[in-house]
Amino acid sequence: MGAAQSNEHASTPEELSYVLAERFATKCFTPLELTHFKDNFFSRASEQGGLRYWNEKTLSDFLGIPDGIYSSSQEQPLDAGPVVFRMVSYLGAFPFQTTLAPSVLTFEAMVKVVVLLTERYGKALKRGHKDRVKLLFGSLADVGRKVPPPVDAEAAAPEVDAGPSNSHAPGFSIDEPANDDYDDDEDDDLALAALESLDAIEVFKHDYRIDKTVYETRISIDTFRRLLMLLLVIAPLKPLESLKVYTADLDARMEAIQREADSIIAAFSPQESDGGISYKAFARTVSSSLPYLFDPLTALFEHMLFSKNLDLSQHRQNGLVVETEVPEKEEEPLPPPAAIMLPGSFESAILTQTLTSHLSLFLPSSSPSLNLFRSGVKLHPVFSTNAHGSSLTSFSHHVLTWQSATLLILQGSRTDSQTDELITLGAYLPQAWKTNKHTSSNTSDLLPCLFQLSPKHILLPGNPSPSIKKPNTPPASFSTSTGIAVGCHIPAPSRTQQNHPKPLGAGSLLIDGNLETVEFYNEPVGHDGVFLPSGSPEDSPVKTVLDLYTLEVWGIVPDPEAGSEPGSSAVEIQRAKWEFEARDAERRRNVNFKMSGADGSNNENARWILEAAGIIGGNGR
């Protein structure tokens, strides 16, 4: 990284920034990763006046970010390259954004960028994860900020020495909003933790307090939409996978991508701010409603740590590990994207590639810290009204026999609306379904959640409080007489009347026994139910009644190939259960009710005996 500087001589923000980058490189990357990183950077870097740097085109070309893609009826293109470049230029100045941002993308700046965006800062920072949201907001904020003249790295380069002290262009004079929810002391923690061992606290404090104008900054809707569209496209991306795999068919998907992006933007309540998204709305929504929103950037910037010019195989020369250069190969045809949905009895009428990307921005899977794509889970088709009909008997046969987590998702339109606007609702249920007669609370380490995907993203998280874990408040339940209930209170059975499930707490979902009508309850308050409030400001409780078009249930399979012996995988076990159910149903249908009298008086007695033994159900099946 250049000549090492001692901490004693690091007395300016520029010098300290350089030393911090050096520390990041040694603590957060392996020697092999750093070798690949250097090859990727320096083999593509421009040079002028002794300065090696990347410009916007170099960054976009290396990452494979698509440029200016429109759909036939769309005004907003997918043009995220400038947004990502501005984010990177801001993060490259860490922790001195006040005086050094936007940063020229030198090698030292890119080291800090990759550490922050790939979440490798745990070895160098104490409170990095908590304050990462603040850094990301600052990198995107562009409304109400005093912006200096455009930075031209080539024009600035002749005036810059090769050392780190002048490798940055003049920066913004304001980097964060100054509203009631933005705590200066908390904001200092991230940078102070990074610098406390560099004997540079006083230099940092002087830099961070200087020329601090007190007014709010915001992220413009246009900027945020362009980034969201990119995140939706690259959500399934794996660390070493080519981005081209997911951008080949963008022309046909652009309208769907923008619709999902607009649904997500609505969750940030941009109407609260004049012309943009405030820090308050940004921090609240990302933390509570979209916890994996920026995960796709991790896989994207992991590309910096693998060079196609170097062979992963190593040999030693004079005791040192040496990388072998590999001649360029002709590009092979790109493989199709890995499907998250397993083959089964139906193909989804709801889950598109774009909608699945939306789910991955907030939905947990096998671990609370991993989203759908990073955990490698698969979705197995369990039930669909399109394939299996609108029969609760069919629902019972397919869903109640699935013995692991499920994803319920449905679409419909408002019963009282003059338009056919689709509303998409769903629920993640980490525990197997139960009938109303055998309800139980959630015992999984993962919490359920209730959500709306369109027209506005809403997430009602699971309630971790033990006070709501009662037998009569299951995450989900089913009854052939009352229908499907998610997050409801289930009354005790009565011989004299039919008791229906009751909405409880902040959110509930009720589907009638004919699978025709849906009631979605979203309350702004309420901590006594299965789900907690979304955290978004609502003027009043919302009850949405839908005409149900399509209902699907998908089984979440942690690892379809986990079984080493035939019949041991989760999918094979489930198929065996369904086959048994089918044989058992056939056996029940073939039960011979022998009638001793001409009037068949013994028929009812025989049926009663079979029901009591559990051979047939109360409805004769």
Side-chain angles (χ1 to χ4, degrees):
M1 289 184 62
Q5 299 185 18
S6 65
N7 292 352
E8 290 79 11
H9 295 92
S11 59
T12 67
E14 292 87 353
E15 292 170 344
L16 287 167
S17 180
Y18 179 87
V19 174
L20 181 61
E22 190 173 45
R23 178 157 300 184
F24 273 21
T26 57
K27 285 184 174 290
C28 302
F29 302 132
T30 66
L32 184 59
E33 288 173 336
L34 193 55
T35 298
H36 281 257
F37 194 165
K38 289 179 178 179
D39 183 78
N40 278 326
F41 181 85
F42 289 109
S43 64
R44 295 168 175 82
S46 301
E47 181 176 359
Q48 192 163 351
L51 180 70
R52 305 289 294 276
Y53 66 93
W54 276 20
N55 56 29
E56 180 181 327
K57 185 178 186 305
T58 303
L59 180 70
S60 294
D61 289 347
F62 174 79
L63 297 176
I65 299 174
D67 181 24
I69 298 178
Y70 288 82
S71 68
S72 58
S73 60
Q74 183 181 22
E75 297 181 359
Q76 175 72 58
L78 175 53
D79 187 21
V83 178
V84 174
F85 182 73
R86 183 172 60 197
M87 292 179 69
V88 168
S89 300
Y90 180 91
L91 296 174
F94 174 81
F96 297 102
Q97 288 89 347
T98 300
T99 56
L100 300 184
S103 167
V104 174
L105 296 186
T106 61
F107 178 72
E108 290 75 25
M110 286 299 294
V111 164
K112 290 187 286 183
V113 167
V114 174
V115 167
L116 293 170
L117 289 182
T118 61
E119 302 181 89
R120 292 168 176 261
Y121 41 72
K123 294 180 180 180
L125 305 178
K126 289 184 177 180
R127 298 181 59 178
H129 183 73
K130 177 180 178 181
D131 292 316
R132 185 171 181 251
V133 171
K134 296 183 177 68
L135 286 173
L136 292 171
F137 176 83
S139 71
L140 290 167
D142 54 3
V143 177
R145 167 180 279 168
K146 291 182 179 179
V147 182
V151 177
D152 187 338
E154 295 186 5
E159 302 177 8
V160 181
D161 296 329
S165 60
N166 292 317
S167 63
H168 302 278
F172 299 123
S173 62
I174 179 68
D175 296 289
E176 75 289 326
N179 56 31
D180 293 339
D181 292 88
Y182 202 90
D183 191 322
D184 288 339
D185 293 334
E186 285 190 7
D187 191 53
D188 291 347
D189 288 343
L190 180 61
L192 288 174
L195 296 171
E196 63 181 1
S197 62
L198 302 183
D199 194 24
I201 301 302
E202 292 305 317
V203 177
F204 164 73
K205 287 183 177 180
H206 173 74
D207 170 86
Y208 208 75
R209 302 301 182 185
I210 192 170
D211 193 23
K212 199 167 186 181
T213 307
V214 182
Y215 65 88
E216 293 187 354
T217 57
R218 298 180 180 88
I219 303 172
S220 72
I221 303 303
D222 175 77
T223 294
F224 201 46
R225 181 183 290 112
R226 286 191 286 170
L227 178 65
L228 284 175
M229 291 167 69
L230 175 67
L231 296 177
L232 288 167
V233 170
I234 69 174
L237 184 70
K238 297 178 177 61
L240 301 183
E241 193 174 25
S242 171
L243 196 65
K244 294 180 181 179
V245 172
Y246 301 100
T247 59
D249 61 343
L250 277 184
D251 289 340
R253 296 173 52 206
M254 284 301 296
E255 290 186 26
I257 291 170
Q258 180 164 343
R259 281 198 304 270
E260 293 301 320
D262 287 341
S263 296
I264 295 172
I265 288 173
F268 288 82
S269 304
Q271 67 274 11
E272 292 182 356
S273 307
D274 297 330
I277 298 169
S278 68
Y279 172 76
K280 177 181 177 181
F282 182 84
R284 177 192 67 222
T285 307
V286 170
S287 299
S288 63
S289 188
L290 292 158
Y292 311 121
L293 179 63
F294 294 100
D295 277 15
L297 295 179
T298 297
L300 183 63
F301 279 86
E302 287 277 356
H303 285 67
M304 292 292 302
L305 305 178
F306 175 77
S307 173
K308 295 180 180 179
N309 299 328
L310 301 178
D311 191 356
L312 284 177
S313 62
Q314 308 173 5
H315 67 274
R316 289 187 173 270
Q317 189 177 79
N318 298 327
L320 299 176
V321 176
V322 179
E323 294 291 341
T324 305
E325 291 194 7
V326 178
E328 292 187 5
K329 299 179 181 178
E330 294 185 4
E331 289 192 11
E332 299 179 357
L334 293 172
I340 192 173
M341 289 175 281
L342 297 171
S345 58
F346 65 90
E347 294 185 0
S348 181
I350 301 177
L351 293 179
T352 62
Q353 183 176 345
T354 304
L355 192 141
T356 307
S357 293
H358 185 168
L359 287 172
S360 73
L361 301 182
F362 69 94
L363 201 65
S365 53
S366 56
S367 167
S369 62
L370 297 175
N371 67 29
L372 285 178
F373 294 122
R374 293 179 72 177
S375 65
V377 303
K378 299 294 184 181
L379 301 179
H380 188 276
V382 174
F383 174 80
S384 167
T385 52
N386 287 356
H388 304 119
S390 298
S391 164
L392 284 177
T393 301
S394 179
F395 181 92
S396 173
H397 165 65
H398 289 87
V399 177
L400 267 64
T401 54
W402 183 267
Q403 297 301 307
S404 61
T406 54
L407 172 67
L408 179 147
I409 193 159
L410 63 89
Q411 284 184 334
S413 65
R414 294 179 183 270
T415 57
D416 57 354
S417 175
Q418 301 299 319
T419 67
D420 292 330
E421 180 185 39
L422 277 180
I423 294 178
T424 306
L425 302 172
Y428 165 73
L429 303 164
Q431 194 178 33
W433 284 72
K434 302 292 182 181
T435 63
N436 283 2
K437 294 181 180 179
H438 301 89
T439 59
S440 64
S441 59
N442 181 37
T443 57
S444 171
D445 292 336
L446 295 172
L447 294 173
C449 64
L450 186 62
F451 56 85
Q452 176 180 287
L453 297 182
S454 62
K456 175 184 178 180
H457 173 91
I458 298 172
L459 176 64
L460 302 171
N463 190 346
S465 173
S467 63
I468 63 97
K469 295 181 178 180
K470 303 172 183 177
N472 61 343
T473 57
S477 62
F478 160 84
S479 168
T480 53
S481 55
T482 60
I484 301 167
V486 178
C488 294
H489 171 77
I490 310 299
S494 172
R495 295 184 178 181
T496 59
Q497 61 181 359
Q498 179 66 59
N499 292 327
H500 291 266
K502 307 287 186 184
L504 180 67
S508 300
L509 187 69
L510 284 166
I511 305 174
D512 74 321
N514 296 319
L515 300 186
E516 294 178 347
T517 304
V518 179
E519 296 180 4
F520 173 52
Y521 296 85
N522 176 20
E523 303 282 348
V525 295
H527 290 72
D528 57 342
V530 176
F531 303 107
L532 295 174
S534 65
S536 297
E538 299 286 349
D539 294 332
S540 59
V542 176
K543 175 185 176 182
T544 305
V545 182
L546 306 180
D547 290 327
L548 179 62
Y549 295 162
T550 307
L551 169 68
E552 295 178 357
V553 177
W554 292 81
I556 297 178
V557 183
D559 186 359
E561 306 299 330
S564 58
E565 299 180 2
S568 60
S569 76
V571 175
E572 289 175 328
I573 291 173
Q574 189 58 45
R575 287 172 180 163
K577 286 180 178 290
W578 282 333
E579 290 173 0
F580 173 81
E581 285 276 324
R583 291 194 301 269
D584 193 51
E586 183 66 23
R587 177 178 62 84
R588 294 178 184 185
R589 283 194 294 269
N590 292 333
V591 172
N592 183 18
F593 296 107
K594 294 186 177 180
M595 297 178 291
S596 59
D599 59 353
S601 58
N602 287 344
N603 187 29
E604 290 301 320
N605 292 334
R607 183 179 299 277
W608 181 86
I609 293 173
L610 291 173
E611 288 180 6
I615 297 176
I616 64 174
N619 54 7
R621 292 185 174 86

